Amino acid sequence: MSHSRTVEIEGHIIDSGTMQRCFGAVMDLDGSFDVEQFDVGTHEEAESYCRMRVSADDEGTLQAILHELHQNGAVLEDPSDVTLVAAPDDKVVPPDFYSTTNHPTEVRYEGEWIDVDRIEMDCALIVDPDGPDGEPRAYTKVLNAVEEGDLVATDESGIRVNPPERPRGSGGAFGFMQGGVSSERPSESTIREVAAELRDVKAAGGNVMVVAGPAVIHSGAGDALAELVDAGYVDSLSAGNGFATHDLERSLYGTSLGMDVETLEHPRKGHKHHIWTISEIIRAGGIEAAVEEGIVTEGVMYECVRNDVDTVLAGSVRDDGPLPDTITDAVEAQDAIRDQAHDADIVLMLATLLHSVAVGNCLPSTTKTVCVDINPATVTQLLDRGSAQAVGMVTDIGTFVPTLAEFVLEGDDAAVAEAGESA
């Protein structure tokens, strides 16, 4: 006996590839479909609508198909309200709880669709019937933050996912679901587009987040990143103990992990510079204190202190020291990164696999993301973890950051000149 359900899909579902993905999902899982209604949008702004009946030989296969369709924005015809079950204990969710995607999501509660706040992947979806303003609120919680009694969404009924669609008339580096990894891309033109986007975000009062690895300092790109911080183009920095240590070492000793970045020489006892740096920062009482005392006089961390940039240094088991500013509790570090990520309008991920994937997991799919690394595996793993919105560039970080800074600040100079001419 065949099992079947009717689903509806609407939006720019043709040119965004949604229908192709939905048809493919049904057939890949050995199901079948019958398109009952298909209304095609006939101009650029018009949306399309599809209603189709999906069938499978058994209920388990049908549920697997419906799950895939749900991930692509399909909803059951005449959807019911979301199914809510109270969490039985702190950090414990009900069986079959709904695990979120990173796409904008809505839940149907008491007959109304409610936007889900703070969307990110792999979280529980909580509904508070009496939110802060007395109205129902839906939001995400990581599993370790779930509290006994939280009303947790289960299965997929009454939940609607809205994957990114192709923006009308846009393209370039930030075109629809850019994704992919290639060293063949025209790097300079792409960097110019990234620079223009940074300027647009800041002009609109938006937030720029930078995720940086130690290679930024080793490659000599630290000075350029410090210039961007000083010019106001970085609102938050997410990095590790290593990045900060090597940047501070550069200020104290002129080296990064014992190597002179300019001459590539290794001074005598240079291999001890990083641990001496940590000792001096500990002695001062932290990075901010070291800047205030004149111990640290240049570099990215110096500019972050001077410009009040929100900085999170997340620790790991291999850290030397660590620096007093490094968050060694993994859950606390995750929460700090999550707060930064949810405030960001654009994120630059620079030569770090560990921190790029960590931040990527916290980002909604609507946040513009640029991931740059000489190793294509870094960009590939980020995309494979669900950050399909990322623009991936396989190039030398020591070239990318200085070029980006040049294009961003070049735009500042042009704006100043234009303002002078108009005056």
Side-chain angles (χ1 to χ4, degrees), residues 34 65 72 77 79 117 132 192 210 212 257 263 290 296 314 324 332 391 402:
D34 177 25
I65 292 171
N72 284 284
E77 186 181 40
D117 295 335
R192 281 195 181 277
V210 170
L257 203 58
T263 67
V296 174
E332 183 183 345
V391 175

Side-chain angles (χ1 to χ4, degrees), residues 352-367:
T352 170
L353 172 59
L354 179 66
H355 292 273
S356 293
V357 172
V359 172
N361 288 353
C362 300
L363 293 173
S365 62
T366 51
T367 302

Side-chain angles (χ1 to χ4, degrees), residues 7-10 13 16-29 31-33 35 50 52 54 65-75 163:
V7 299
E8 297 175 309
I9 314 166
E10 57 185 325
I13 58 179
S16 292
T18 302
M19 287 312 307
Q20 179 183 352
R21 291 193 299 273
C22 287
F23 291 157
V26 175
M27 292 184 287
D28 288 346
L29 292 171
S32 60
F33 60 85
V35 177
C50 175
M52 67 179 180
V54 182
I65 292 171
L66 292 176
H67 171 76
E68 291 301 317
L69 296 180
H70 170 82
Q71 303 292 295
N72 284 284
V75 293

Side-chain angles (χ1 to χ4, degrees), residues 209 211-214 238-243 312-316 318-319 333 337 347 349-361 378 382:
M209 179 179 183
V211 185
S238 178
N241 187 74
F243 171 86
V312 172
L313 302 180
S316 72
R318 65 182 185 276
D319 286 339
I337 291 171
V347 180
M349 299 176 171
L350 308 176
T352 170
L353 172 59
L354 179 66
H355 292 273
S356 293
V357 172
V359 172
N361 288 353
T378 297
L382 177 68

Side-chain angles (χ1 to χ4, degrees), residues 181-201:
V181 183
S182 175
S183 57
E184 303 297 325
R185 285 183 174 157
S187 296
E188 184 170 315
S189 61
T190 303
I191 297 172
R192 281 195 181 277
E193 289 186 56
V194 174
E197 187 65 31
L198 286 181
R199 292 179 52 76
D200 289 346
V201 166

Side-chain angles (χ1 to χ4, degrees), residues 130-197:
D130 303 304
D133 57 359
E135 296 294 325
R137 179 197 177 206
Y139 59 102
T140 62
K141 271 191 176 183
V142 291
L143 297 191
N144 62 48
V146 170
E147 299 174 279
E148 181 180 357
D150 280 344
L151 296 179
V152 182
T154 59
D155 62 61
E156 292 164 348
S157 61
I159 299 174
R160 182 162 64 192
V161 173
N162 300 300
E165 295 181 335
R166 185 182 300 278
R168 305 295 92 193
S170 72
F174 293 96
F176 167 74
M177 299 290 279
Q178 198 59 29
V181 183
S182 175
S183 57
E184 303 297 325
R185 285 183 174 157
S187 296
E188 184 170 315
S189 61
T190 303
I191 297 172
R192 281 195 181 277
E193 289 186 56
V194 174
E197 187 65 31

Side-chain angles (χ1 to χ4, degrees), residues 264-409:
L264 304 184
E265 295 177 350
H266 293 265
R268 184 171 177 272
K269 295 187 177 180
H271 62 287
K272 297 183 179 182
H273 287 176
H274 76 286
I275 202 69
W276 287 350
T277 296
I278 293 171
S279 174
E280 290 306 306
I281 301 302
I282 293 174
R283 192 189 323 279
I287 297 172
E288 183 175 353
V291 170
E292 291 174 350
E293 292 178 23
I295 297 170
V296 174
T297 59
E298 61 180 340
V300 179
M301 302 309 298
Y302 171 79
E303 294 296 349
C304 284
V305 171
R306 287 183 63 250
N307 291 277
D308 197 27
V309 170
D310 176 32
T311 302
V312 172
L313 302 180
S316 72
V317 294
R318 65 182 185 276
D319 286 339
D320 290 317
L323 293 164
D325 306 79
T326 300
I327 303 173
T328 56
D329 183 300
V331 174
E332 183 183 345
Q334 285 180 16
D335 290 342
I337 291 171
R338 186 167 285 111
D339 286 341
Q340 288 183 313
H342 281 286
D343 287 339
D345 296 297
I346 184 171
V347 180
L348 301 181
M349 299 176 171
L350 308 176
T352 170
L353 172 59
L354 179 66
H355 292 273
S356 293
V357 172
V359 172
N361 288 353
C362 300
L363 293 173
S365 62
T366 51
T367 302
K368 293 181 177 179
T369 306
V370 181
C371 183
V372 185
D373 203 296
I374 197 66
N375 182 2
T378 297
V379 188
T380 299
Q381 289 194 43
L382 177 68
L383 299 178
D384 287 347
R385 278 292 290 135
S387 299
Q389 79 274 19
V391 175
M393 292 187 65
V394 179
T395 189
D396 172 35
I397 202 69
T399 300
F400 175 85
V401 179
T403 305
L404 177 67
E406 178 186 345
F407 291 162
V408 169
L409 301 179

